[in-house]
Amino acid sequence: MILSFPFLNNRMVDARATFMSFPIRNQDGYITIGIIGSILFVIAIILLVIGLKKYHVRIVFIVLILNAMLPNQLMTLYQETFAKGISAISYDGKGHCTFENVSKNRLIGECNFVLQNHSNDDVTFEIEFLDPYFIEDDARMESLMNVAGLHTITVEANRKKSINMKELINVTDVPNHIESGSSSNIHFKLIDRKADRIL
């Protein structure tokens, strides 16, 4: 469970194959820690079944449910009690962006998402939009919002903040960009002076 703990980064963002919350493969190839975690998990289940004299099926079923649910619950508990800075920021994964072509080299980009600060202090950070790894021909989409530089955001203590970013993007020097379109379930990187997180 420790190996599959989802904090600090969302390791499932670029995962192309997973097993019991372990990312096995991403766009760069196979992930060693995910493969080791999967093998250890299977061995642990086999040893659990061998070691039990009764209720094999029930216990294995309970273990599978706990393994699926407990890491996320522990992460939420940690964020709501001890986390500081960007570690205390959560994202529901439901953000979306739209891009509209207004002239030959200009797009209007607009992104909307909700962040929540679970700490008792205001948190200020920069945000870098990330393109999805499965986009065709590696065309730039969400990352076009970074063309003019990273965006600085402050989320007040114990607050949920709805964020709307809209800007005119000059794509003259940007090769292989989209002309228009929209995307949902966007991902981004939170950056402060000490650390960064991918959500």
Side-chain angles (χ1 to χ4, degrees):
M1 203 181 313
I2 291 169
L3 289 174
S4 66
F5 198 67
F7 200 76
L8 285 164
N9 291 321
N10 183 351
R11 295 174 302 158
M12 297 299 184
V13 169
D14 59 347
R16 294 188 176 175
T18 61
F19 174 77
M20 291 302 296
S21 75
F22 291 100
I24 302 294
R25 188 168 58 92
N26 62 15
Q27 78 284 353
D28 298 323
Y30 288 97
I31 303 168
T32 306
I33 192 77
I35 294 169
I36 292 169
S38 299
I39 292 169
L40 289 175
F41 182 79
V42 171
I43 291 170
I45 293 296
I46 291 169
L47 291 175
L48 182 66
V49 171
I50 292 170
L52 294 172
K53 295 180 181 177
K54 288 183 174 182
Y55 311 117
H56 300 93
V57 177
R58 291 182 197 173
I59 298 295
V60 169
F61 185 68
I62 290 169
V63 167
L64 293 176
I65 290 174
L66 286 176
N67 186 67
M69 296 174 60
L70 202 54
N72 288 329
Q73 300 302 322
L74 290 174
M75 182 185 74
T76 302
L77 180 66
Y78 171 73
Q79 282 190 315
E80 293 179 353
T81 53
F82 302 112
K84 301 288 183 191
I86 60 173
S87 298
I89 301 294
S90 66
Y91 165 55
D92 61 9
K94 297 179 182 176
H96 64 276
C97 292
T98 57
F99 297 90
E100 184 178 343
N101 197 350
V102 291
S103 69
K104 183 179 179 182
N105 294 314
R106 294 188 186 277
L107 296 172
I108 289 180
E110 183 173 8
C111 293
N112 297 287
F113 52 93
V114 176
L115 297 177
Q116 184 169 359
N117 180 2
H118 297 278
S119 73
N120 293 324
D121 302 310
D122 294 354
V123 179
T124 300
F125 51 88
E126 292 182 319
I127 190 165
E128 177 185 352
F129 289 88
L130 304 174
D131 285 322
Y133 290 98
F134 54 83
I135 195 165
E136 291 181 16
D137 303 323
D138 295 325
R140 290 186 63 180
M141 192 169 189
E142 286 96 335
S143 66
L144 292 173
M145 295 294 286
N146 305 326
V147 169
L150 302 182
H151 307 272
T152 301
I153 295 173
T154 298
V155 182
E156 292 75 21
N158 295 306
R159 279 289 186 72
K160 189 179 278 191
K161 186 171 186 177
S162 182
I163 297 166
N164 174 269
M165 294 181 178
K166 187 172 185 177
E167 62 179 70
L168 184 63
I169 305 165
N170 185 345
V171 292
T172 305
D173 300 322
V174 181
N176 204 22
H177 61 81
I178 62 160
E179 296 296 326
S180 63
S182 64
S183 61
S184 57
N185 305 319
I186 62 171
H187 295 284
F188 38 78
K189 183 186 289 187
L190 307 184
I191 304 167
D192 70 8
R193 286 168 288 181
K194 299 176 184 177
D196 59 63
R197 287 182 64 201
I198 295 175
L199 298 176

